[in-house]
């Protein structure tokens, strides 16, 4: 609970937020990062150059799915809502089929009629739906973000190629962004060896490696989002940092100002654990910040500002070290 303090102006003016509903509590928020900016530049270049498809690969928990959500939020506005963008997931069916693939995509694009009809009818239904979206827009472009794309089979790629060709015949450009783990690159190599050049050339000709937080500058950029670019409740003018540490914020304290210190804490933890490389996944960075806010902020211990020891406690509580040790043990095999 928030500690009452009649002499504390920040506490008195602090917005009321029902317990458990702040985005830091729910995890429902988007914060920009330098890596998302780099991905944004790559994706917009692919779209502008009418690239049919490309690969975005990175190991688990780096924040690829969050990055997709962020791009889904900002890309339509950047294109003045003249771009149809769909966030799809790729499923590993026990026996992948054209029927199940078209059902997955119909569901992913939000079609009301997913399961009725034959396989060919579902394909026609999907293509017509996409054409309706495409012809409403001046640039006639559609973008698919396909998360967990390492699960796609050759059969599913062939279905995707049929959809691409059907749209191309009516002058609608489809760009498919395959987002997934490094196995995607191995899959591309396998397609090249088996001369599946139609799949490689269509959807895998470009690639981008997605990374985590690797230096203090990347971390500072991310933390600035908590200080300046976040707000809750909407219209309150209170950033996440200000809400949880109101007195320190009033005195000029910011998360971005201690980015170097927090990064050093991560470095110390990884060095002590014998981890070779610092590549902080966004999941564990967010869990670290959330822990510090909830445990030590105004709704918790009501500390003025987290100490170095408390930042270290937050890092350890995030599960970062355990996850990194597991990752290294897997990659060494």
């Amino acid at each position: 609970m928030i500690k009452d303090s009649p002499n504390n102006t920040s506490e008195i003016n602090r917005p009321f937020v029902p317990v458990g509903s702040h985005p830091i509590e729910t995890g429902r928020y988007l914060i920009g990062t330098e890596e998302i900016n780099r991905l944004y530049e790559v994706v917009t270049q692919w779209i502008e150059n009418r690239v049919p498809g490309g690969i975005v690969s990175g190991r688990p928990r780096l924040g690829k799915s969050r990055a997709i959500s962020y791009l889904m939020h900002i890309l339509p506005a950047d294109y003045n809502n003249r771009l149809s963008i769909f966030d799809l997931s790729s499923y590993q069916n026990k026996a992948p089929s054209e029927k199940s693939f078209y059902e997955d995509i119909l569901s992913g694009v939000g079609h009301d009629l997913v399961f009725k009809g034959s396989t060919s009818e579902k394909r026609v239904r999907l293509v017509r739906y996409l054409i309706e979206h495409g012809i409403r827009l001046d640039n006639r472009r559609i973008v698919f973000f396909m998360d967990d794309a390492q699960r796609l089979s050759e059969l599913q790629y062939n279905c995707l190629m049929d959809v691409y060709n059907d749209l191309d015949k009516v002058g609608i450009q489809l760009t498919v962004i395959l987002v997934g783990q490094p196995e995607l690159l191995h899959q591309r190599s396998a397609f090249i060896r088996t001369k599946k050049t139609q799949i490689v050339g269509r959807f895998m000709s470009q690639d981008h490696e997605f990374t985590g937080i690797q230096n203090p500058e990347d971390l500072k950029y991310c933390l600035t989002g908590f200080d300046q670019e976040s707000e809750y409740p909407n219209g309150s003018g209170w950033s996440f940092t200000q809400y949880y540490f109101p007195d320190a914020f009033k005195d000029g304290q910011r998360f971005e100002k201690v980015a170097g210190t927090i990064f050093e804490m991560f470095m110390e933890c990884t060095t002590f654990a014998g981890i070779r490389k610092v590549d902080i996944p966004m999941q564990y960075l967010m869990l670290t910040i959330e822990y510090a806010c909830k445990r030590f902020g105004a709704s918790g211990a009501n500390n003025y500002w987290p100490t170095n020891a408390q930042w270290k406690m937050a890092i350890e509580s995030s599960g970062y070290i355990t996850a990194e040790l597991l990752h290294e043990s897997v990659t060494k095999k």
Side-chain angles (χ1 to χ4, degrees):
M1 296 294 293
I2 300 173
K3 298 181 180 180
D4 294 329
S5 176
N7 297 320
N8 190 324
T9 304
S10 296
E11 286 286 350
I12 294 173
N13 295 331
R14 187 169 180 253
F16 170 74
V17 175
V19 175
S21 64
H22 193 282
I24 287 290
E25 297 276 354
T26 64
R28 293 193 292 269
Y29 61 92
L30 295 173
I31 294 291
T33 68
E34 287 282 28
E35 182 55 34
I36 290 178
N37 284 345
R38 288 188 281 268
L39 179 60
Y40 171 86
E41 294 297 331
V42 169
V43 168
T44 52
Q45 184 179 43
W46 290 351
I47 294 172
E48 291 300 320
N49 291 344
R50 299 185 180 276
V51 173
I55 293 174
V56 177
S57 65
R59 64 187 182 89
R61 306 292 180 263
L62 288 180
K64 298 186 298 297
S65 296
R66 278 180 178 263
I68 292 174
S69 297
Y70 195 88
L71 294 183
M72 290 286 295
H73 180 70
I74 63 174
L75 278 173
D78 288 351
Y79 281 86
N80 296 317
N81 293 314
R82 295 185 301 109
L83 186 70
S84 284
I85 306 177
F86 298 99
D87 183 4
L88 309 176
S89 294
S90 307
Y91 300 99
Q92 179 87 50
N93 299 295
K94 291 183 179 179
S97 67
E98 293 183 39
K99 175 177 174 289
S100 62
F101 178 77
Y102 290 129
E103 289 174 351
D104 287 341
I105 303 303
L106 280 166
S107 176
V109 300
H111 200 287
D112 293 331
L113 198 59
V114 174
F115 301 106
K116 185 177 180 180
S118 65
T119 298
S120 60
E121 288 172 333
K122 290 171 184 176
R123 170 181 164 180
V124 170
R125 186 180 307 141
L126 172 62
V127 171
R128 284 179 177 173
Y129 182 81
L130 295 175
I131 289 174
E132 288 174 6
H133 273 265
I135 61 177
R136 290 205 307 260
L137 308 174
D138 295 339
N139 57 16
R140 301 170 72 90
R141 297 185 192 180
I142 294 175
V143 178
F144 282 178
F145 281 100
M146 305 196 73
D147 203 3
D148 285 329
Q150 73 278 354
R151 297 179 178 182
L152 285 169
S153 67
E154 181 180 341
L155 179 147
Q156 292 166 316
Y157 277 114
N158 286 329
C159 291
L160 198 57
M161 196 164 353
D162 289 338
V163 172
Y164 178 94
N165 291 336
D166 288 341
L167 294 175
D168 186 58
K169 290 175 183 176
V170 295
I172 294 176
Q173 175 68 44
L174 174 64
T175 297
V176 179
I177 313 296
L178 302 170
V179 182
Q181 298 178 25
E183 288 88 338
L184 259 175
L185 299 176
H186 304 325
Q187 190 178 46
R188 178 174 67 176
S189 297
F191 283 151
I192 291 173
R193 286 195 301 272
T194 54
K195 301 187 185 305
K196 301 294 189 303
T197 54
Q198 71 279 12
I199 295 176
V200 175
R202 190 64 56 84
F203 303 120
M204 298 177 161
S205 62
Q206 310 290 320
D207 64 81
H208 172 76
E209 181 184 5
F210 192 90
T211 64
I213 303 294
Q214 297 183 336
N215 55 65
E217 290 72 28
D218 285 351
L219 180 56
K220 181 178 179 180
Y221 185 94
C222 181
L223 294 178
T224 300
F226 290 90
D227 296 332
Q228 300 179 23
E229 298 168 9
S230 56
E231 182 186 47
Y232 196 83
N234 293 334
S236 67
W238 280 62
S239 71
F240 295 176
T241 310
Q242 182 180 11
Y243 179 79
Y244 282 94
F245 299 97
D247 295 316
F249 191 91
K250 181 178 63 176
D251 293 339
Q253 291 280 21
R254 300 291 186 273
F255 285 164
E256 65 178 284
K257 291 183 178 180
V258 294
T261 299
I262 298 174
F263 191 80
E264 287 178 11
M265 295 294 105
F266 273 100
M267 288 282 289
E268 286 183 17
C269 291
T270 54
T271 300
F272 182 78
I275 297 169
R276 295 170 296 176
K277 181 182 178 182
V278 177
D279 189 16
I280 307 167
M282 284 301 297
Q283 174 176 329
Y284 301 108
L285 175 61
M286 296 304 181
L287 288 172
T288 296
I289 303 301
E290 291 167 10
Y291 182 93
C293 289
K294 293 184 291 187
R295 178 70 181 273
F296 307 118
S299 299
N302 199 14
N303 292 353
Y304 174 78
W305 191 247
T307 65
N308 288 359
Q310 289 168 342
W311 279 120
K312 188 173 182 180
M313 185 188 303
I315 293 169
E316 292 170 346
S317 298
S318 73
Y320 166 68
I321 297 302
T322 301
E324 290 300 281
L325 288 172
L326 179 60
H327 172 71
E328 288 217 341
S329 68
V330 171
T331 54
K332 284 179 181 179
K333 293 180 181 180

